[in-house]
Amino acid sequence: MNTLQTDIYQHIQGLMVELFELDADAIVPEAQLYDDLDIDSIDAVNLMIELRPYVGRKLTPKDFQSIRTVQHMIDEIEIVLRDSKTE
Amino acid sequence: MANVNPQDHSIAFTDTMNRYWRITATGFSFFLFAIGTLILSLFLVAFILPLPIAKLSKQKITRKIIQRTCYAYIIIMRFLGILTFAFNTQSHIFKPGRLIIANHPTLLDVIFLFAMVPNASCIVKAERCKNPLMAVSVSLAGYLNNAGAELAQEAADVIRAGETLIVFPEGTRSTKHLNKFKRGAANIAIMADCEISLVHIDCTPITLRKHEKWYAVPAAVPHFQFTVLPAIDRHSCIDVTRPIPIQARHLTDFLYGQYNSRLLTKAA
C-alpha cells in the first residue's frame, strides 16, 4: 500500500468506526463490506456522502457499484483522487 | 376396542372429510388467485389506464380496487371454510403518511394487510414485474420497484407525500419464528421522519410457510390474527443525535425486539 492508499485507508477506517459502530480492528483491507462488516447498500450511500469532503466530489452509485472489499474501495477512491489531481 | 366410543369414530371421520374439503378448497383458492390477478390487471389496463384523469387519481382508484379485491378474496376463503381471521386494529394505522411493518409468517400476509389498510403502497420485487400486465398494474397502483438505486429515498418521499408504505423487515417469509430484520424499514422511517405502525401477524395453526407445500393443510382451520401494536416514534426509542447508519441499527434492533418478545411470549 503506498502513502496515498494508507491515508485513504485510515480515513475510511475512521469513518466506518464513526458511522457504523465497527471495531477498527475489523476494518482490514480484505474485509468484505457486506459479509464481514454488515454494510448494506443504504450504508454505502451514507458513506459516500461522508466521503465527499475528502474526495472532493460527490461519489455516484456507479463509482461504487461493484465494490465488495475495503481494499477495492481504497483502490476506487485512489483512482478518483488521482483523476481530480490531473484535472 | 370395546372401550372406544362410536362417536369418536364419527368425529375423526368428520375431521378427515373436513381436511380433504379444505385441501380441495385451498387448491381452488390458489387457482382463484391466479385467475383473479389476471382479471384484475386486465380490468385495470382496460378501464382505469385510459381514464383522462391525473396519475394520482388513477392511483387512488387502483388502490381502492385492489383493497376491495383483497378483502373479497379473504372473505371467499373464509366462506369456503379454509381460514378464519380477525383484525385487532388501532386508529393510528389508518392515518396517512406512515410506515407499516409486520412480521411475515405466511403467504397470505400481503393480501390481508392490503385488505385492511386503505391507500397502501409497497415495494415490489423487480422480477414480478417482468410480465407486462403486472408491470402496468404495479405502475398504476404506484408501488415502488426494489431495483431502484434510490429506493429508500423514493420510499421516504411517498411517505412524506402522505402515503402509507407497508414493508416486511424480514424481507421474506419467516423461517423458524422470525428472521433477522434488514435495516431498510428503519432507514426509510428515519429518512421520512415518520411514525411506524407495527402489525403482529399470528396464524394458528401455522400454514403456508416458506417452503411449505400448498396441500399441507393443517389439522385444524387456521386462524389469522392481526394485532396492531402502539405506534412508534423513533425519537422516544433511540438516540437520534447519533449518525444515521447507527440510528438505523439501533432502531432495527428495537423493532426486532418488539416482535421477538411477543413471539416468545406466545410460544411460552
Side-chain angles (χ1 to χ4, degrees), chain B residues 28-96:
Chain B
F28 171 73
S29 298
F30 273 91
F31 170 74
L32 184 63
F33 182 80
I35 294 283
T37 44
L38 179 63
I39 295 175
L40 176 61
S41 41
L42 284 170
F43 179 85
L44 292 173
V45 169
F47 297 108
I48 308 301
L49 184 64
L51 288 176
I53 57 177
K55 190 167 183 226
L56 200 58
S57 307
K58 286 190 211 180
Q59 182 178 291
K60 283 203 158 89
I61 296 172
T62 303
R63 289 185 184 181
K64 195 144 200 113
I65 293 172
I66 290 174
Q67 186 187 11
R68 295 264 186 263
T69 310
C70 287
Y71 194 71
Y73 185 63
I74 61 181
I75 295 288
I76 289 172
M77 287 190 289
R78 187 174 64 184
F79 175 73
L80 290 172
I82 61 175
L83 55 80
T84 57
F85 64 88
F87 294 127
N88 182 359
T89 58
Q90 292 189 23
S91 60
H92 61 80
I93 202 121
F94 303 113
K95 284 196 240 166

Side-chain angles (χ1 to χ4, degrees), chain A residues 18-21 38 42-43, chain B residues 183 242 245-246 249-250:
Chain A
E18 187 198 320
L19 285 179
F20 309 129
E21 268 182 338
D38 193 24
I42 302 176
D43 292 328
Chain B
R183 295 193 291 271
R242 306 295 303 279
I246 294 183
R249 281 155 171 76
H250 292 176

Side-chain angles (χ1 to χ4, degrees), chain A residues 17-22 34 37-40 42-43 45-47 61, chain B residues 149-150 152 180 182-184 187 191 242-246 248-250:
Chain A
V17 168
E18 187 198 320
L19 285 179
F20 309 129
E21 268 182 338
L22 291 168
Y34 184 67
L37 303 177
D38 193 24
I39 295 174
D40 64 24
I42 302 176
D43 292 328
V45 171
N46 282 308
L47 181 59
Chain B
E150 303 280 344
K180 187 167 179 276
K182 294 178 199 266
R183 295 193 291 271
N187 271 302
M191 285 169 98
R242 306 295 303 279
I244 286 176
I246 294 183
R249 281 155 171 76
H250 292 176

